[in-house]
Amino acid sequence: MKRILATLVLAVLAFAAAQGVTIGVLAPLTGGAAGTGQAQKAGFELALEEINAAGGVLGQPLKIIIEDTKADPATGVAAFEKLMTEDNVEFIAGGYSSGVTLALVESFKTFQPIVSWIGGAVSGIGIDNFDGIEELLGQEEWFFHIHPWDYANTEASTAFQVYTGVDTVALLHEDGAFGGPGAAGAQALLEAAGMKVVLNEAFKSTLTGGTGDFRAAISKAAASGGEMLYWIAYDGDAQPLVSQVRELNYHPKYIFGAPPGWPSDFDKVPEAQCVTGMIGYLPNLPNPEAQAFLTSYQAMHGTAPDNYMAALAYANLWSYADAINAAGTTDQAAVIKALQEGTFRSPMGDWSFKPSIEALHQGFGAEMWFIFQFQNGVREIVWPVDISTSPLQTCP
Amino acid sequence: MDLSLLPQALVSGVLAAGLYALVSVGLALAIGVIGIVNFAHGEFFMVGAFLAYQLFVSFGFDPLLSLLFVAPALFVIGAIIYLSSIRFVLKAPELNQMLLTFGVGIILQNLALLIWGGDPRTIARVPYRAIGYKIGNISIGLVPLGSFVISLILVAALYWMLARTPLGRGMRAVAQNRIGAGLVGLEVNRIYLIAFAMSALLAGMGGVMIAVIQSPTPTIGFGFTLKAFAIVVLAGLGNIRGITIAAIVVALSESLVATMVPNGDSLRNAVFFAIIFVALVARSRRAY
Amino acid sequence: MKPRINPLGRDLLLALLFFALLLFLPPLLRGAFGRASVSYLSLGINALVLATLALSWDLLARTGQLSLAHAAFTGAGAYSTAILLRMADVPLWLGIPLGGVVAALLALALGSVTLRLYGIYFAIATLAFTEVLKTVVQELPTKIAGGAPGMNVTALFRPTLAPGMERWELAFVRNQGYFWVYAALLLVAVIISIFIQRSRLKSAFTAIRTNELVAGVMGVNPARLKLLAFVLSSFVAGTLGAVEAHRLGSVSPDGAFAVSTTVLALVTPIFGGLYTTVGPILGALVLAGLEETLKRTFADGYLIGYGIVLVASILFMPRGLVGLLSGIAKRLRRPGGGQEGGMSSARAMTDEPFTAPEETP
């Protein structure tokens, strides 16, 4: 008798647990973008723990299923379709590679789950003959985009460059899909703001098969006499670039980099002194949410959150939890409404979805980016001035 | 075309050959002398880089000091890998060796990913990293100069070992005629083991240099494997002295195109491989 | 003397049966698994792509040409169909095969130039070719080829939602369409392979692979046959790349010419069994299934298991899956003496160039 009762109780509990909400996550856990994917996973795990400690979603613990896309389009499509038809999720989160996102467009439009995406920054706006993600998915009711669009980066960096007061800029960019369009956009904005772009030169990033020897491009920049060296490339390029600038005895007034992230330990590199960079999240952001995020992240994972993608992933999952709880149901129309109208939390502060150039629901824009400078081994925030922790210095 | 940059391009180009030679010299021993098609060569390189990083983080070792530890460590790792897998495919077709070593490479790469994660790792304090000596208009970087000199030494040492030492002669004998070498009393298996372990050691040393120059990630190995193969093949299998020359040819060409052509740096890989292609095809025509 | 059934006919029949099985697989899956069949078809598509990639590479390897340029041809096919579509509005049913043709022409050019290169020299030359091609495509005018970001490519199948249809059914119809297209392409590759294996081409290719000089003396024309293998292999690879472009919605230099494509193309046939029709296909199915199984069982580090399997496979099955299976079958056959039957076609589909058939007529 007792055994039957126990089984019944267990069955009821299992049934109840099975009613909880599951969110499907796509991330590049292995392969060339594994650093980003693992950072996203860390952010999702932290948010998951907090959400469930605060009562979960609709009274049940939230569950997530993270699928590895390997940053490969074919794998990404299969992973998404598994989430939709084997795991039967109704909500999709995550995302990184624009190539994977483009491959998913057809599948997204077929299944039309709610997609809240922290990747795929290639908007396509400003590139002729190319439809980027903002152009292809922006008008869909069920598509929410959190990561700033590529043009937001150039908006933010141009504003900073105007603030520095330089007249000439030497622009070095990696020759791939990130640096090429980015540099074109940057040059246009800089010239519109009255600055002279004395050099716009492509180089091969270490990410796409370069050996890390940038001396050719740097010597051209040195010869051009630009007051600011502005580089657009990847995190792995930061250290060789900066070291070789010193080695070649090039002394611009400012060195400004806009990679998607910065390598860990780069703060401690002496050659990084006076280098400025653009970033979306830093552990030493003064607002209380950043401090709390840093503390809990360190408690859970044992290291500081070095990759801003962890912060975006955290915001991604929390916004879902808050929206579904606010809607009180998993009904798609209700959750969409809650996502549209809600204000959500993140280590960068509160945020919400607003329309962008061609998208209905855009999370972060240029305001997410701020400029820091390596000063004596610390990443001091130097711009916007109202959140700065130290004034901007010129390089010797 | 800005001719004023030409002298710097020449200097940078020649010095950059050091890195290419460092990457290739170990592979020259493995495939060029012994005939093991090792698709995991770049992973030994990567392991050396990460060991140097870890030694810095844990003990504060300067990379030059790390060389003393990384070299024997990679020798041991190479030996273990040889004993557990490579030795069984010595007589197998090249394709089988490729698949086996490719599998080994995947294992090493994903182990590194598990241990260190996917983000680039920087050795924070290398006092000599950004030093450049100015001679007139030209800057000679200490690190490229150093890696060039080290690569010359290693290539010369390898050549000397193969030409003058009993071990080296044994390696060449085994490469030429495995059965005959065994018949005259050479311990063939031991020679293969040492050769493979040495190639791992050489790769590891190159890896330490890379940890200084770049911020390595676990996936940098394979790209270097392919370039190393290309340089070894360009020099000619078994031609150890040719490694330096081959490396200089490609590095110099890359540097010249990168400096003299607008946006030339993005053509680097194309220049590298175009030279390889043209050289291989031209050589094949001449042979007949 | 036993009457011999035409081996070529038998193999073609088996191939058609296999294709028929593939044809019926989607509706079978749907019946058995319903919604989840969409996911299984997605995985099946990736497996078919890998199988075609592997078999097309193997066609070339049979002449001893170990190509590291396979990605050049899949990429060329992908870009050709995309460019033809953008510049000349070429319809997909024409553009896709044209992608194969362009790849074949490229192979003809590369093959002619590298005729006298062997082994690792040939491999590196083909690798070099791929890298240069990638840069050339990237540097082409953006209006034509899209530069570094690449181009969008129209989808091959975009079914519309009929009333009463559920969304997963829409995805199913789409995946089914792609599955059939890839199955058809694989069938083409299989038929090419069978015609080679069941003709004098097989011994000619094997002779060239074993010793080209001697083959030449024996009356084989190595140059012409090597180029033929190259053209056939690349036509299939190019067409495959073209279809993939239409499925994945975009082409870019790094994606289309990725070295990982080439590596998969050569790893899979080695694992499955070289120089056979069945080997590459079996290898693809097993490797794709293995990777997915490992992924679902172990969250982190599942690729380490994958690497271990690859290493173990060479150590314990040096002739690939096909070698292992035919070894087992041979041991099973021995007690009963020489039996005609399924084995002889499997044996002919495995690589045993110089052993005489066991039963003498």
Side-chain angles (χ1 to χ4, degrees), chain A residues 184-200:
Chain A
Q187 174 158 10
L189 283 178
L190 285 169
E191 288 173 343
M195 281 172 269
K196 194 156 173 291
V197 176
V198 292
L199 179 71
N200 188 340

Side-chain angles (χ1 to χ4, degrees), chain B residues 24-36 38 41 44 74-83 86 90 158 161-162 167-175 187-204 240:
Chain B
S24 318
V25 68
L27 193 62
L29 180 59
I31 183 175
V33 179
I34 303 295
I36 306 170
N38 182 11
H41 179 75
F44 290 140
L74 259 303
F75 187 88
V76 168
I77 293 175
I80 293 175
I81 289 178
Y82 175 85
L83 288 171
I86 309 288
L90 287 176
L158 181 62
M161 182 208 75
L162 287 172
L167 176 64
R169 282 198 292 268
M171 286 186 189
R172 281 157 53 213
V174 158
E187 288 183 54
V188 172
N189 292 320
R190 200 174 73 95
I191 288 173
Y192 272 126
L193 168 65
I194 295 179
F196 190 79
M198 277 189 67
S199 96
L201 181 154
L202 290 167
I240 302 297

Side-chain angles (χ1 to χ4, degrees), chain A residues 29-31 38 41 67-70 73-75 77-79 81-86 88-89 99 102-104 106-107 109-112 127-132 136 175-177 180-181 204 208, chain C residues 35-43 46 86 134-135 138-139 142-143 148-152 155 157-158 167-168 170-171 174-175 244 247-251 254 291-292 295-296 299-303:
Chain A
L29 298 176
T30 60
Q38 294 292 334
K41 180 163 172 254
E67 285 292 324
D68 184 9
T69 63
K70 292 156 71 175
T75 310
V77 170
E81 298 194 339
K82 170 192 178 275
L83 286 171
M84 295 308 299
T85 61
E86 284 188 59
N88 299 314
V89 303
L102 282 173
L104 283 169
E106 285 297 314
S107 277
K109 289 186 176 175
T110 303
F111 283 97
Q112 300 192 0
I127 310 182
D128 295 324
N129 295 319
F130 184 77
D131 288 333
L136 290 172
D175 63 349
K204 206 125 198 65
T208 54
Chain C
R35 217 182 136 96
S37 64
V38 173
S39 175
Y40 300 142
L41 270 187
S42 215
L43 295 169
N46 287 346
R86 170 185 277 200
K134 171 157 79 161
T135 307
Q138 185 165 315
E139 299 293 318
T142 314
K143 258 214 289 257
M151 296 186 275
N152 303 98
F157 291 112
R158 189 179 277 154
R167 295 207 155 268
W168 71 264
L170 191 64
R174 206 185 75 238
N175 281 5
E244 274 286 81
R247 180 170 79 101
L248 297 175
S250 67
V251 288
D254 282 322
E291 189 180 340
E292 192 62 28
K295 202 205 253 197
R296 293 184 186 210
D300 264 334
Y302 70 92
L303 283 179

Side-chain angles (χ1 to χ4, degrees), chain A residues 175 201-202 204 220 243 249 265, chain B residues 53 139 258-259 261 263 265-266:
Chain A
D175 63 349
E201 179 83 4
K204 206 125 198 65
K220 287 193 205 180
S243 304
N249 286 296
D265 296 348
Chain B
Y53 168 77
S139 254
T259 313
V261 174
N263 294 321
D265 196 286
S266 58

Side-chain angles (χ1 to χ4, degrees), chain C residues 73-275:
Chain C
F73 304 115
T74 55
Y79 261 96
S80 303
T81 182
I83 293 176
L84 284 170
L85 186 63
R86 170 185 277 200
M87 308 298 315
D89 236 339
V90 173
L92 299 186
W93 61 264
L94 187 57
I96 290 174
L98 278 181
V101 169
V102 169
L105 291 173
L106 210 58
L108 201 56
L110 177 61
S112 329
V113 166
T114 56
L115 276 175
R116 293 212 181 104
L117 286 168
Y118 303 98
I120 192 95
Y121 293 101
F122 177 81
I124 296 294
T126 55
L127 173 72
F129 174 78
T130 312
E131 287 296 318
V132 174
L133 183 62
K134 171 157 79 161
T135 307
V136 166
V137 168
Q138 185 165 315
E139 299 293 318
L140 282 177
T142 314
K143 258 214 289 257
I144 299 180
M151 296 186 275
N152 303 98
V153 181
T154 333
L156 181 56
F157 291 112
R158 189 179 277 154
T160 41
L161 202 58
M165 217 182 184
E166 288 196 43
R167 295 207 155 268
W168 71 264
E169 295 177 306
L170 191 64
F172 175 83
V173 167
R174 206 185 75 238
N175 281 5
Q176 180 175 253
Y178 282 117
F179 190 86
W180 283 338
V181 168
Y182 285 117
L185 186 57
L186 180 60
L187 180 67
V188 167
V190 164
I191 290 178
I192 294 177
S193 177
I194 289 176
F195 268 105
I196 292 176
Q197 297 293 85
R198 289 299 184 181
S199 70
R200 261 186 260 161
L201 280 179
K202 174 172 177 198
S203 353
F205 280 6
T206 311
I208 295 174
R209 182 172 81 241
T210 318
N211 190 327
E212 187 167 321
L213 206 57
V214 171
V217 166
M218 287 191 338
V220 165
N221 185 338
R224 196 146 47 98
L225 292 182
K226 277 162 71 169
L227 288 178
L228 174 68
F230 222 147
V231 161
L232 289 172
S233 159
S234 312
F235 175 75
V236 174
T239 313
L240 181 68
V243 179
E244 274 286 81
H246 288 288
R247 180 170 79 101
L248 297 175
S250 67
V251 288
S252 70
D254 282 322
F257 298 104
V259 154
S260 53
T261 306
T262 301
V263 169
L264 278 175
L266 77 93
V267 159
T268 310
I270 302 175
F271 178 80
L274 285 163
Y275 320 132

Side-chain angles (χ1 to χ4, degrees), chain A residues 35 175 200-204 209 211 213 215-216 220 235 239-240 243 246-249 263-265 268-271 307, chain B residues 16 20 53 118 120-122 124 129-132 139 141 144 212-215 227 258-259 261 263 265-266 268-269:
Chain A
D175 63 349
N200 188 340
E201 179 83 4
F203 68 88
K204 206 125 198 65
T211 52
D213 184 347
R215 294 179 177 83
K220 287 193 205 180
D235 47 2
Q239 189 267 97
S243 304
R246 313 295 194 203
E247 182 201 288
L248 288 172
N249 286 296
S264 46
D265 296 348
K268 308 198 203 80
V269 173
E271 291 83 21
N307 191 321
Chain B
Y20 277 147
Y53 168 77
R121 297 285 164 185
T122 318
R129 177 188 271 147
I131 297 180
S139 254
V212 170
I213 296 171
Q214 265 194 41
S215 303
K227 286 200 167 159
T259 313
V261 174
N263 294 321
D265 196 286
S266 58
R268 260 182 196 272
N269 277 358

Side-chain angles (χ1 to χ4, degrees), chain A residues 20 32 43 46 56 58 61 67 76 116 149 186 204 233 281 316 320 323 356 358 365 374:
Chain A
L46 180 63
L58 301 180
E67 285 292 324
S116 187
W149 293 114
K204 206 125 198 65
Y281 165 78
N316 194 190
Y320 256 134
S356 66
E358 279 192 35
F374 292 101

